[in-house]
Amino acid sequence: MNLKIIGTSPDRLDAAAKTTGEALYTADMKFPNMLHMKVLRSPHAHARILGMDVTRAQKAPGVVRVVTGRDVPGPFGEAVRDQYPIARDKVRYAGEPVAVAVAADENTAAAALDLIRVDYEPLPFVLDPWEALNQTSPVIHEGLMEYKTAPFVMREGHNTYQHMKVRKGDAQTALAAADLVVEGEFRWPPNAHTQMETLCAVACYQRDKSLTIYATTQAPFIVQSTIAELLEIPPGRVRVVSPILGGGFGGKSDVTIEALVACVARFVPGRHACLTLTREEMFNGATHGRSAACRYQIGFRKDGRLTAIVGESVMASGGNADYAVNIITGMALAGAGPYRVDNVRLDVYGVYTNAPPIGAFRGYGHPEVHLALESLMDTAAEKLGIAPYTIRDYNLLRAGDANAIGQVMSPHSGNVAECAKLLSEKLSGQQLPQAVPHCRVGRGMAAYMKMPCMPSNAQSGAFIKLNPDGGVTISTGAVDMGQGLHTTLGQIVAERLGLPFSKISFNATVDTLISPYDWQTVASRSTWGAGNAMLLAADDLLRKLREQGAAYFGVSPDDVETAGGEIRAGERSLPWGKFAAGLRGPDGAALTRPVTGEGYFVPQGVVNPDPETGQGNAAPDWTMGCAGAEVSVDMRTGEITVLRLINVIDAGTIINPKNAAEQVSGAMLMSLGAALSETVIFDKKTGCVRNNSLVDYKIPGIEDVPGQVDVYFVETPEESGPYGAKGLGEHGIVGTAPAILNAIYNATGIRFHSLPVSADRLIAGNPAIKGGE
Amino acid sequence: MRIVYEKPATLEELFSLMKLLPEGPGVKLLAGGTDLLPQLRAGRSGPEAKERPILIIADIKRIQEFNGIHETDKGLFIGAAETMRAVAEHPLVRRYQALAEGAGRMGCLEIQNRATIGGNICNGSPSADSLPGLLVYDAKAVIISEAPDGTAPRERTMPLERFLLGPGKVDLRPGEALRAVVLPRPPENSQSRYYRRTRVKGMDLSGINAAIYCESPEPKAGAAAWPAACGLTGFRIAFGAVWPTVARARMAEDILNSEPVTRQSFERAAEAVLADMKPRESSMRATPDYKRAMIPVLIEMGISEMGGASD
């Protein structure tokens, strides 16, 4: 195939608007007489609400309305119906909304919160995942077994809302027979998404019982259906608009503050009401990610062959579960990593805890299990006297091998062995830097694979509208949250239509009343899913152009050509643009209709995994790769400096190499933060988040970015993807943290089992240093 | 609470704003505002703000007396409203290396351009980046207030170390403002270093910080370098986030200055700090154990770097 635009890196379509500050985000939406909301949040991690007095707040000057949990419907939820827009009777985490004040301005609303009296009866709380799993821990959702759930939810009661199993071969017997068993527990604490844009929603409920909500959402259609059901409004009357999004990373997927804002807006009909979370509220009033513990035992033959993986993992999901059910699926289905292994037994539990809820976070369960797997792979390699690359190469999935859930890899599934080989060459191709005094240097690697965790029919849609200048405007239901989606989709469309990229324009806003359906913008699925929909829409546009050309020229559509932006029938031709609004004959009579292409894509043949064994064609594709890190550790101060990060990824055909490399390196840096400095810290006495700001939730600064961050692509075209492409937005995060931990071990001989590895912990773990343990 | 912003042009205007009546508005002095504004936003601005209907924010930047970096007969004068960036880059501060380094490590470039040295001191943080360097140079605090008879303003000068009373507390009485710090001129053969440990290399607060000052004798030919030997004398050491205020480690200084520095005396000096330190147990920036581990490390870094060690 002779491709002109695929594989090039044109400037991003959104670059100018975002660089100049002209791009409009949700918080920029201002309306006449707009009201503002402030949320009163629970100071208790777990408590019964005995009573509430809002009369003083309600009477305060400037306050329009105070709304409590008793005023609003609930519960709601897509997978487990366990969330209340505002807590009713009980609070399940410190930070859960208990009342909302609506006033003419934010300060008045905030002052009104001080006038609300809530009587709580504090209850014992639980934060630890294993403790929550234990039957003796406090019960967080007494009604769990009665909640409405999606069919794939396998709850066990107490705090366990999901238990997902993977069974293949006879893992216990294989483990007993193994020459070597390595084991350990690995923990990834809760991480904050730390998007630049905090959550915001502006809603207006009108007396004709319609609701418009502008929201910072990656999932406008999920928000639409959830609100429609919650407020009992026909979905066609719920207009969810997702303007330009300032970063998502999963923290704006599913339903966040929109349910609360929509419910409260109903009490001030005819007026727009806005809620913008402060940065501090993003730490107790929004979802976090990760928060998982994984206990793994892995069996090997003497020669390094993997024979068995047995894992028990638990995710501490916070005060409600809802869509976190699907993260459990990710942890289970990817729990054996990119390896060929005949005997697998994985149990993954989702449990409630008294922390802010855990939701989607770039990587979706995969980084958590890879931390355990890839750390133990290195331990096994060392014990068996095999190089880290060699032991991985020996076991990596190749075409014809079945993965842990029984999917047989085909040649187009991706070449992880080639990724590992290239990574190993790149990592060792450069001399290890000379250690400066007191410092030790080391290297580590980790292989990975990730699938899009999504409903088996996750749909994507696309519209392409022809313009009078012969260019086209693309629209999709997928959200551009900074990942560069419109540019990538524009390249796919330009390639298929044979237009120069400059002829592509895009509609940045998703509007559920007019945009085509798209499940949600998550799971690294949009280049693949929306890209496929764009191809179908482009073909539809070309077909209609031929039809309209045939009508105009009076020939058969088969005799019309569309190449080069011209509609051609034999010797006669007209530019595409002439057909945009329709053409007339010499007598003025209309001959053609306006031309718009539409396309819808759903994955084919994907099914739910078997509930007892996890087996089945549950993943439409896997993106595989290998991460590498080189670190320097100052043994006096414990300071860890990441010198190099490398990622070799097989994400099929790369549509836009620059954009793709930025996605992978951005994800790697997010993983670096998790590996070395990021964690949400809870007060053990109160269960409150202690570090609810960027002062003490430490994300890396530019100074922490390694001097060398390299991304390499192995491009095995994916059969089901547009021009052979598949997802890569999340994958850089999956292997990077374990690669850094392996590098730290390689440098220091200290094996860390949890994140983040701070200088504190490094010093304490080093018996050679005074003051250590 | 209503907030009123004022920007007095003269000391007289400032003092008239600061004449506090118990039932009147509260007054907060603002220089850079990089600590004050987040505190106001978080509702942590002290009783004078919370319990009064009006809070006056008096911006002192325009008042001449709070500005300037220049030599005086008592030493280097640094006005309280000078920015951290100005302190970090000023040619006259260069000789006070630990101070210049501390000011240059604080926050990020944008914050250094806004934050002032007076604010950094008066905020009373136990880990303020400018303080270890100031303390090892025996800086004096110059405190200004209105004269009782309304003539020339009154000034009192005190050692900066005593000006620091506790976390968030400094020795400013009602009607007083920190005008400047004055650093006595150090001997030509003196040098200093600033060290801090943070969780990330990017913008962060110090988990522990230190300034080490010493004087070098005439170099002798063939003299061995640390750790074999060290001819350094006149040690002054200050730590942040080790005690409730940034403070001098005099017990360690005394040991190091009483005899030629050897590995044994260095270890005893570190032990003396360890025996005296009172780190906050619940710090999220560094655990007490980590601070304990860093005490000898930071002192030794200073000795070895300034003693010409090659390691």
Side-chain angles (χ1 to χ4, degrees):
Chain A
M1 212 181 320
N2 185 16
L3 299 175
K4 290 200 180 78
I5 297 166
I6 303 297
T8 67
S9 301
D11 285 345
R12 283 202 13 192
L13 292 171
D14 53 348
K18 285 180 178 168
T19 311
T20 57
E22 288 164 5
L24 294 180
Y25 296 82
T26 302
D28 294 315
M29 302 296 136
K30 312 280 184 208
F31 297 92
N33 299 317
M34 189 164 90
L35 298 169
H36 294 269
M37 303 182 194
K38 276 285 182 188
V39 179
L40 182 69
R41 298 183 181 280
S42 165
H44 299 285
H46 197 192
R48 243 184 289 283
I49 300 175
L50 301 178
M52 205 183 301
D53 183 358
V54 301
T55 45
R56 280 181 68 211
Q58 185 66 71
K59 284 181 192 151
V63 173
V64 176
R65 178 79 205 204
V66 178
V67 181
T68 71
R70 296 215 164 272
D71 302 324
V72 300
F76 70 95
E78 280 282 306
V80 183
R81 198 164 291 188
D82 63 358
Q83 292 193 57
Y84 289 86
I86 305 173
R88 191 191 295 172
D89 306 328
K90 194 177 173 186
V91 288
R92 297 179 170 87
Y93 61 93
E96 186 169 1
V98 291
V100 179
V102 190
D105 61 81
E106 269 195 352
N107 286 344
T108 306
L113 300 183
D114 291 341
L115 305 175
I116 298 174
R117 245 196 51 213
V118 188
D119 290 328
Y120 294 101
E121 179 197 340
L123 300 168
F125 64 87
V126 57
L127 295 170
D128 182 84
W130 299 109
E131 212 181 303
L133 192 61
N134 193 315
Q135 295 293 319
T136 58
S137 64
V139 175
I140 296 167
H141 281 268
E142 291 80 356
L144 168 60
M145 297 310 280
E146 281 80 54
Y147 289 151
K148 265 179 90 172
T149 66
F152 50 86
V153 174
M154 293 164 276
R155 60 199 145 174
E156 294 189 337
H158 193 66
N159 287 323
T160 307
Y161 64 81
Q162 177 72 328
H163 175 192
M164 178 97 188
K165 296 172 213 159
V166 175
R167 303 283 185 266
K168 185 187 181 190
D170 182 352
Q172 297 294 7
T173 306
L175 205 62
D179 293 329
L180 171 73
V181 175
V182 290
E183 57 190 319
E185 179 181 332
F186 293 82
R187 280 202 189 205
W188 199 311
N191 283 167
H193 304 83
T194 333
Q195 312 93 329
M196 274 210 265
E197 177 198 43
T198 64
L199 292 178
C200 178
V202 183
C204 183
Y205 180 81
Q206 287 176 319
R207 289 175 183 84
D208 65 358
K209 290 186 181 156
S210 68
L211 183 107
T212 299
I213 180 164
Y214 298 82
T216 52
T217 177
Q218 299 171 236
F221 294 95
I222 302 279
V223 171
Q224 181 190 34
S225 59
T226 302
I227 289 177
E229 198 173 329
L230 186 61
L231 292 182
E232 296 175 39
I233 307 174
R237 286 175 170 267
V238 179
R239 178 175 174 229
V240 181
V241 182
S242 176
I244 292 169
L245 210 57
F249 311 114
K252 292 169 183 169
S253 66
D254 310 321
V255 177
T256 62
I257 60 170
E258 299 92 354
L260 178 149
V261 171
C263 288
V264 172
R266 199 158 60 160
F267 290 92
V268 287
R271 294 182 77 175
H272 286 80
C274 172
L275 175 65
T276 308
L277 295 197
T278 61
R279 179 60 65 189
E280 289 79 0
E281 283 178 296
M282 290 300 286
F283 286 92
N284 64 7
T287 59
H288 296 150
R290 312 272 177 257
S291 187
C294 305
R295 285 180 183 152
Y296 267 64
Q297 293 175 293
I298 309 182
F300 291 88
R301 235 164 45 194
K302 264 197 211 84
D303 64 356
R305 169 69 73 207
L306 244 170
T307 57
I309 297 181
V310 175
E312 195 183 23
S313 303
V314 55
M315 188 176 81
S317 302
N320 59 57
D322 191 11
Y323 241 58
V325 167
N326 297 318
I327 309 173
I328 307 301
T329 307
M331 290 173 70
L333 301 189
Y339 298 111
R340 172 161 59 108
V341 51
D342 296 330
N343 304 290
V344 181
R345 183 187 173 89
L346 300 172
D347 291 275
V348 187
Y349 302 91
V351 296
Y352 292 118
T353 50
N354 295 111
I358 296 297
F361 193 124
R362 200 178 206 171
Y364 216 69
H366 296 69
E368 296 86 321
V369 291
H370 278 79
L371 181 66
L373 260 175
E374 289 303 291
S375 298
L376 290 172
M377 284 302 281
D378 263 31
T379 302
E382 187 185 20
K383 291 202 166 164
L384 293 168
I386 304 173
Y389 163 66
T390 313
I391 197 168
R392 288 180 172 85
D393 178 56
Y394 192 19
N395 292 294
L396 283 170
L397 285 167
R398 286 167 164 85
D401 293 337
N403 68 9
I405 58 169
Q407 292 176 300
V408 177
M409 298 289 120
S410 57
H412 70 83
S413 300
N415 193 343
V416 66
E418 180 61 23
C419 293
K421 182 163 168 270
L422 188 58
L423 182 113
S424 173
E425 284 168 14
K426 295 288 178 191
L427 197 57
S428 57
Q430 237 169 274
Q431 234 178 8
L432 203 59
Q434 198 90 46
V436 293
H438 309 292
C439 290
R440 295 185 195 159
V441 289
R443 284 169 174 165
M445 67 185 295
Y448 63 83
M449 72 173 192
K450 189 192 173 293
M451 58 139 180
C453 273
M454 57 189 189
S456 46
N457 71 333
Q459 65 292 124
S460 301
F463 293 158
I464 305 176
K465 185 179 172 193
L466 179 63
N467 297 319
D469 65 346
V472 296
T473 300
I474 60 172
S475 292
T476 164
V479 176
D480 196 328
M481 50 192 161
Q483 82 277 46
L485 176 67
H486 291 123
T487 308
T488 307
L489 295 181
Q491 287 181 256
I492 290 170
V493 170
E495 187 73 58
R496 188 66 145 216
L497 294 179
L499 293 177
F501 184 69
S502 60
K503 289 282 194 189
I504 306 290
S505 61
F506 71 105
N507 169 25
T509 301
V510 177
D511 180 330
T512 54
L513 296 195
I514 53 174
S515 299
Y517 256 110
D518 185 286
W519 170 55
Q520 51 178 331
T521 309
V522 295
S524 307
R525 63 181 282 273
S526 296
T527 295
W528 178 77
N532 273 327
M534 282 290 168
L535 280 185
L536 294 167
D539 290 344
D540 186 46
L541 183 85
L542 292 174
R543 182 180 59 76
K544 287 173 176 164
L545 272 173
R546 277 195 300 274
E547 278 173 12
Q548 299 303 311
Y552 184 75
F553 292 121
V555 298
S556 150
D558 294 341
D559 298 328
V560 178
E561 285 176 37
T562 56
E566 296 280 324
I567 306 293
R568 199 176 298 277
E571 293 298 303
R572 292 177 296 163
S573 77
L574 268 183
W576 284 19
K578 297 279 184 201
F579 288 84
L583 285 163
R584 289 183 290 180
D587 60 354
L591 292 178
T592 72
R593 292 191 299 268
V595 180
T596 298
E598 57 182 289
Y600 300 94
F601 171 78
V602 286
Q604 296 299 309
V606 180
V607 298
N608 294 332
D610 180 88
E612 286 309 312
T613 65
Q615 301 293 304
N617 188 38
D621 61 53
W622 295 88
T623 298
M624 299 190 264
C626 203
E630 189 172 279
V631 304
S632 166
V633 182
D634 187 324
M635 300 307 285
R636 290 188 304 180
T637 62
E639 182 176 17
I640 299 163
T641 305
V642 180
L643 304 169
R644 285 167 82 194
L645 284 178
I646 313 179
N647 214 299
V648 185
I649 179 170
D650 188 348
T653 306
I654 299 301
I655 307 287
N656 181 320
K658 181 162 172 269
N659 205 3
E662 283 169 358
Q663 279 293 299
V664 178
S665 50
M668 283 198 284
L669 296 176
M670 228 169 167
S671 207
L672 179 151
L676 300 183
S677 60
E678 292 184 43
T679 178
V680 177
I681 302 168
F682 292 95
D683 187 310
K684 292 202 168 51
K685 283 199 201 97
T686 65
C688 295
V689 174
R690 288 187 68 201
N691 55 339
N692 69 339
S693 80
L694 297 180
V695 174
D696 286 310
Y697 184 86
K698 295 315 299 180
I699 58 170
I702 193 71
E703 300 87 342
D704 296 274
V705 174
Q708 223 183 320
V709 180
D710 295 325
V711 179
Y712 301 93
F713 299 111
V714 170
E715 300 188 57
T716 308
E718 161 64 39
E719 197 175 57
S720 68
Y723 293 104
K726 60 184 159 188
L728 56 66
E730 299 167 274
H731 303 75
I733 213 167
V734 179
T736 301
I740 291 173
L741 261 58
N742 286 340
I744 292 171
Y745 178 80
N746 181 241
T748 66
I750 309 171
R751 166 62 63 192
F752 286 93
H753 285 245
S754 63
L755 308 180
V757 181
S758 59
D760 277 88
R761 294 183 62 212
L762 198 120
I763 292 297
N766 185 347
I769 287 176
K770 221 172 171 185
E773 293 164 8
Chain B
M1 181 185 62
R2 200 158 66 86
I3 293 178
V4 179
Y5 173 81
E6 297 279 356
K7 195 166 187 181
T10 64
L11 275 179
E12 289 68 36
E13 284 178 39
L14 175 68
F15 290 138
S16 68
L17 284 173
M18 287 173 72
K19 273 186 194 148
L20 291 178
L21 295 171
E23 69 280 13
V27 180
K28 279 267 176 193
L29 300 194
L30 174 141
T34 56
D35 285 317
L36 181 62
L37 294 187
Q39 286 163 7
L40 281 175
R41 191 172 160 268
R44 285 187 288 110
S45 47
E48 63 270 51
K50 241 203 168 138
E51 287 154 21
R52 290 166 194 260
I54 299 174
L55 177 70
I56 296 175
I57 301 286
D59 187 335
I60 63 160
K61 280 196 290 290
R62 207 157 68 171
I63 302 169
Q64 193 199 332
E65 281 80 355
F66 293 100
N67 286 287
I69 298 179
H70 52 261
E71 296 282 6
T72 69
D73 54 351
K74 296 211 172 69
L76 181 68
F77 174 99
I78 304 177
E82 290 295 331
T83 66
M84 295 294 265
R85 197 71 215 151
V87 172
E89 289 182 340
H90 200 283
L92 291 175
V93 184
R94 220 167 277 159
R95 125 192 333 267
Y96 306 85
Q97 188 173 330
L99 172 59
E101 285 177 359
R105 295 287 293 280
M106 180 258 190
C108 58
L109 194 63
E110 294 86 340
I111 289 179
Q112 288 169 21
N113 279 330
R114 191 85 209 156
T116 64
I117 191 163
N120 198 236
I121 295 167
C122 291
N123 188 47
S125 163
S127 63
D129 286 297
S130 67
L131 283 170
L134 286 167
L135 292 196
V136 297
Y137 284 100
D138 289 327
K140 306 282 185 293
V142 181
I143 298 148
I144 196 165
S145 57
E146 189 172 30
D149 56 5
T151 56
R154 192 158 64 176
E155 276 192 1
R156 67 182 175 101
T157 298
M158 69 188 296
L160 183 61
E161 193 178 8
R162 284 207 286 126
F163 181 72
L164 310 172
L165 299 180
K169 279 199 213 112
V170 293
D171 188 12
L172 279 182
R173 298 160 203 164
E176 286 188 333
L178 178 70
R179 183 192 166 196
V181 286
V182 174
L183 287 77
R185 191 176 175 80
E188 289 299 326
N189 64 343
S190 67
Q191 53 178 330
S192 67
R193 296 286 188 280
Y194 174 73
Y195 302 103
R196 67 175 204 158
R197 301 296 317 132
T198 52
R199 294 160 294 186
V200 294
K201 299 182 213 322
M203 185 162 71
D204 201 358
L205 299 168
S206 292
I208 177 171
N209 56 5
I212 325 274
Y213 164 101
C214 65
E215 293 159 21
S216 345
E218 292 297 307
K220 277 185 221 142
W226 177 262
C230 169
L232 301 175
T233 59
F235 280 95
R236 298 178 202 162
I237 299 169
F239 280 108
V242 164
W243 293 289
T245 65
V246 179
R248 287 275 290 274
R250 292 189 200 277
M251 61 304 282
E253 295 175 4
D254 290 346
I255 293 168
L256 292 174
N257 293 334
S258 63
E259 55 192 287
V261 180
T262 61
R263 174 143 298 273
Q264 287 76 23
S265 68
F266 153 72
E267 281 176 4
R268 277 193 289 120
E271 293 291 348
V273 180
L274 292 174
D276 188 66
M277 68 191 290
K278 291 177 189 67
R280 198 157 64 93
E281 285 298 323
S282 59
S283 171
M284 288 187 284
R285 287 145 205 173
T287 58
D289 279 345
Y290 184 68
K291 293 179 185 183
R292 280 183 202 108
M294 287 306 104
I295 299 277
V297 168
L298 299 183
I299 298 175
E300 187 174 8
M301 273 187 183
I303 299 177
S304 68
E305 276 185 38
M306 292 186 286
S310 57
D311 276 290

